[in-house]
């Protein structure tokens, strides 16, 4: 059953009447370009088939009432009480979006109240942007219900603001732009400096390639310290280099300031500079019809995230090594790191071997292997019904 159907059923069961509409938005897989977004750099995500759906309708009693198929209980508060810090837990994501849109518009939207029922099949903590899927589905719902006519960049920004200021995770704009702007059958080259988003057909099917994703089972939370610390280190590195962001840094500039940066900041900055170049090289190769050649860039991205940015974990390294050992063209961790999933780019005929090799890393740990799934570019956020 789709997340949209589940959300509609949950709404009916909880509130005793059908919703006014159902909106859904996908998780994303970032093919390459990790920890570049908040450095104003490049990334190449695509929307995955898994989605989060929000069934919604206005109320008349001045209350905001939320339920989720994934969490127990009902969350409720007076619409007039919505403020930064007023909500914790999962409801901070959707209510944070309402708060951010109120801030953007400078008006008290949904003062008379709002009911939301949420259902999702995006795995949480897996580096596949379950939070952005929830934020973006909510933003689409609020935009339509209140007839705000905000564009998708504005909705994405509201989602990010919810996550930054209501949830307290200092993330970039990658996930929200990917969820709302990805084309249904291609990846999206994002320039995170100005939000420019360019569709990039990957040509994987024609090249006989598939993308596998495996959840390491090690789960992270981006409001934990490691992500914020990396972000802060990048900002300090940019200051030392005398550039507005690491987007503006070059290998030559890094070499020139190596001493002043010190070894740690040098490595952090080197990851960002080289990762931006890898994104652009990946786009160039797929545009030239050389999709099979991007595997080396994908594995180099992993090495850089592991050694220079230090956001991988041994479980992800093991998946990457196993996949590459079994014939994947390239593999890497995806998302913010400290756990989550890894992807592998695999010649279709080798899917069984690579999946089995990945499963073997779990057997070695003595934990049951999760399903290793193939993902293909899928639809962006939309109104379902
Ligand atoms: C998380 C954040 C994104 C981005 C990635 C790393 O998914 O939400 O903004 O920084 O990590 O690329």
């Amino acid at each position: 059953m789709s997340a949209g159907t589940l959300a509609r059923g949950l709404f009916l069961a909880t509130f005793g009447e059908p919703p006014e509409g159902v909106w859904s938005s996908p998780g994303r897989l970032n093919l390459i370009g990790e920890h570049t977004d908040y450095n104003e750099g490049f990334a190449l995500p695509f929307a995955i088939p898994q989605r989060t759906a929000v069934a919604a309708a206005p109320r008349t009693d001045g209350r905001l009432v939320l339920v989720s198929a994934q969490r127990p209980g009902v969350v409720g508060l007076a619409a007039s009480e919505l403020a930064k810090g007023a909500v914790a837990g999962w409801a901070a994501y959707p209510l944070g979006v309402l708060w951010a849109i109120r801030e953007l518009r400078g008006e008290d939207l949904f003062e008379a109240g709002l009911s939301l029922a949420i259902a999702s099949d995006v795995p949480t903590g897996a580096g596949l942007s379950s939070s952005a899927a929830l934020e973006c589905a909510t933003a689409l719902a609020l935009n339509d219900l209140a007839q705000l006519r905000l564009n998708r960049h504005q909705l994405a920004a509201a989602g990010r603001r919810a996550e930054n200021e209501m949830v307290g995770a200092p993330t970039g704009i990658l996930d929200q732009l990917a969820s709302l702007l990805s084309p249904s059958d291609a990846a999206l080259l994002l320039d995170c400096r100005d939000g420019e988003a360019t569709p990039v057909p990957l040509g994987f099917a024609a090249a006989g390639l598939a993308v596998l994703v495996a959840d390491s089972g090690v789960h992270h939370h981006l409001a934990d310290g490691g992500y914020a610390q990396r972000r802060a280190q990048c900002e300090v590195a940019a200051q030392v280099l005398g550039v507005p962001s690491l987007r503006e840094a070059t290998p030559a500039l890094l070499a020139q300031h190596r001493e002043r940066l010190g070894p740690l900041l040098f490595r952090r900055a080197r990851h960002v500079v080289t990762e931006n170049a890898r994104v652009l090289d990946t786009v160039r190769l797929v545009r030239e019809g050389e999709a099979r050649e991007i595997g080396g860039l994908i594995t180099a991205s992993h090495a850089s995230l592991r050694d220079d940015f230090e956001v991988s974990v041994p479980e992800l390294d093991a998946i990457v090594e196993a996949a590459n050992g079994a014939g994947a063209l390239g593999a890497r961790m995806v998302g913010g790191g400290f756990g989550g999933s890894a992807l592998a780019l695999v010649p279709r005929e080798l899917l069984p071997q690579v999946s089995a090799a990945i499963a073997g890393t779990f057997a070695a740990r003595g934990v049951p292997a999760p399903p290793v799934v193939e993902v293909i570019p899928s639809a962006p956020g939309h109104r379902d019904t």
Side-chain angles (χ1 to χ4, degrees):
M1 195 185 285
S2 74
T5 308
L6 274 174
R8 173 174 284 277
L10 179 63
F11 192 101
L12 195 56
T14 308
F15 302 111
E17 55 184 17
E20 198 164 306
V22 179
W23 293 260
S24 69
S25 211
R28 62 95 191 95
L29 186 75
N30 193 18
L31 190 61
I32 195 159
E34 222 66 88
H35 287 275
T36 47
D37 62 347
Y38 54 81
N39 290 301
E40 306 206 339
F42 300 103
L44 190 64
F46 60 81
I48 59 173
Q50 290 79 8
R51 304 177 75 84
T52 297
V54 172
R59 300 169 66 95
T60 52
D61 62 356
R63 294 196 58 77
L64 305 171
V65 185
L66 296 84
V67 282
S68 163
Q70 274 65 48
R71 307 293 169 124
V74 177
V75 175
L77 75 159
S80 57
E81 279 170 11
L82 181 60
K84 236 197 274 187
V87 200
W90 67 269
Y93 294 88
L95 290 180
V97 172
L98 173 54
W99 169 81
I101 292 182
R102 281 182 175 181
E103 293 285 303
L104 173 69
R105 301 275 303 189
E107 54 179 316
D108 284 336
L109 297 164
F110 296 100
E111 266 181 311
L114 180 70
S115 299
L116 298 179
I118 293 152
S120 180
D121 57 11
V122 186
T124 54
L128 300 175
S129 286
S130 57
S131 19
L134 174 53
E135 291 151 11
C136 294
T138 308
L140 289 167
L142 302 183
N143 193 39
D144 282 358
L145 282 177
Q147 299 182 341
L148 301 175
R149 297 178 185 280
L150 296 172
N151 66 38
R152 289 189 173 225
H153 278 91
Q154 291 173 305
L155 298 178
R160 180 190 181 180
R161 191 160 179 202
E163 190 148 346
N164 290 174
E165 298 188 39
M166 199 69 137
V167 178
T171 51
I173 194 68
L174 160 68
D175 307 337
Q176 294 82 5
L177 287 179
S179 187
L180 286 170
L181 294 175
S182 285
S184 296
D185 53 359
L188 196 66
L189 171 60
L190 288 177
D191 181 339
C192 299
R193 183 158 63 186
D194 57 8
E196 190 183 350
T198 312
V200 178
L202 294 171
F204 285 174
L209 298 175
V211 178
L212 286 182
V213 176
D215 183 350
S216 70
V218 180
H219 284 182
H220 67 300
H221 194 272
L222 292 181
D224 295 345
Y227 184 96
Q229 188 197 46
R230 295 303 181 285
R231 192 178 167 144
Q233 288 166 343
C234 288
E235 280 161 17
V236 176
Q239 276 167 21
V240 173
L241 294 169
V243 287
S245 72
L246 289 180
R247 157 70 172 270
E248 269 73 29
T250 59
L253 191 70
L254 285 187
Q256 193 188 330
H257 294 279
R258 188 168 189 151
E259 297 268 299
R260 290 181 56 227
L261 282 167
L264 185 110
L265 292 185
F266 177 79
R267 282 187 284 118
R268 299 294 189 255
R270 181 168 62 185
H271 165 71
V272 177
V273 170
T274 57
E275 185 78 350
N276 278 329
R278 282 186 288 269
V279 174
L280 298 179
D281 285 346
T282 299
V283 170
R284 181 178 47 76
L285 285 168
V286 297
R287 281 183 177 150
E288 288 170 356
E290 302 289 348
R292 284 184 166 251
E293 302 305 316
I294 70 171
L297 294 166
I298 290 175
T299 300
S301 167
H302 183 76
S304 180
L305 288 159
R306 182 192 61 208
D307 302 335
D308 276 357
F309 220 63
E310 296 179 279
V311 291
S312 187
V313 292
E315 292 84 350
L316 287 167
D317 299 341
I319 294 172
V320 166
E321 260 174 51
N324 283 339
L329 299 178
R332 67 176 203 86
M333 54 150 281
V334 295
F338 307 102
S341 300
L343 70 78
L345 182 68
V346 184
R348 192 154 276 291
E349 65 277 11
L350 294 179
L351 283 176
Q353 287 95 307
V354 174
S355 301
I358 292 173
T361 68
F362 290 86
R365 275 199 270 155
V367 294
V372 180
V373 291
E374 182 180 347
V375 286
I376 52 166
S378 303
H382 55 58
R383 184 171 188 154
D384 292 24
T385 57

